[in-house]
């Protein structure tokens, strides 16, 4: 069974390439989810629950445990579809391709931690081109109009985006 490029690059995260570049598999302390959990409680003020969070695969378990929301992917071997969709979203070469994944899967929130090994994994397919991956554009503050930044506590490197218009709207 072909699992696709997303699953093939995840094991590479634990090789020496990331470590030599100063990146680690574990998120840095400024990407700790604990301080931002209150913001995840109701970032848009609607009180609507549960929502679907697209985030790093390795954040999936903690987000499921600590919130009332669902996650697009988690580090589970049978979550092939979710992992592939996270890969497709974050490595998307343009905003339209990213939005297609968001709409198809019903993503409500996007949560990333810039400058980590997992971000680099989604960027690698675009290496050597003049295009940037969707996750890199989010990390640089270049979010499309449909991904509205949510202010997080000072000191957190995490970036949270609320998807608008609603996934079923234009």
């Amino acid at each position: 069974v072909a699992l696709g490029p997303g699953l093939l690059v995840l094991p590479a995260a634990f090789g020496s390439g990331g470590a030599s570049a100063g990146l680690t598999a574990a998120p840095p302390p400024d990407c700790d989810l604990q301080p931002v959990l209150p913001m995840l409680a109701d970032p848009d003020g609607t009180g609507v629950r549960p929502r679907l969070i697209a985030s790093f695969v390795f954040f999936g378990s903690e987000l499921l445990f600590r919130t009332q929301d669902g996650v697009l992917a988690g580090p589970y071997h049978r979550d092939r579809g979710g992992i592939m969709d996270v890969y497709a979203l974050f490595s998307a070469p343009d905003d339209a391709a990213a939005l297609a994944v968001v709409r198809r899967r019903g993503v409500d929130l996007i949560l990333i931690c810039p400058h980590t090994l997992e971000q680099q994994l989604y960027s690698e397919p675009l290496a050597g081109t003049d295009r940037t991956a969707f996750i890199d554009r989010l990390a640089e503050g270049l979010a499309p109009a449909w991904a509205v930044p949510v202010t997080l506590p000072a000191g957190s490197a995490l970036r949270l985006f609320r998807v608008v218009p609603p996934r079923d709207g234009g």
Side-chain angles (χ1 to χ4, degrees), residues 86-150:
V86 162
Y87 183 82
L89 171 63
F90 288 146
S91 67
D94 56 56
D95 296 340
L99 182 58
V101 175
V102 164
R103 284 187 172 158
R104 181 172 47 81
R105 291 303 298 259
V107 172
D108 300 297
L109 300 170
I110 300 171
L111 179 67
I112 66 166
C113 181
H115 314 297
T116 58
L117 183 56
E118 193 163 342
Q119 177 188 343
Q120 182 180 350
L121 294 174
Y122 303 119
S123 303
E124 287 182 5
L126 303 175
T129 72
D130 62 351
R131 303 183 101 174
T132 57
F134 181 65
I135 195 165
D136 296 327
R137 294 190 301 280
L138 289 179
E140 296 302 319
L142 303 174
W146 52 266
V148 177
V150 175

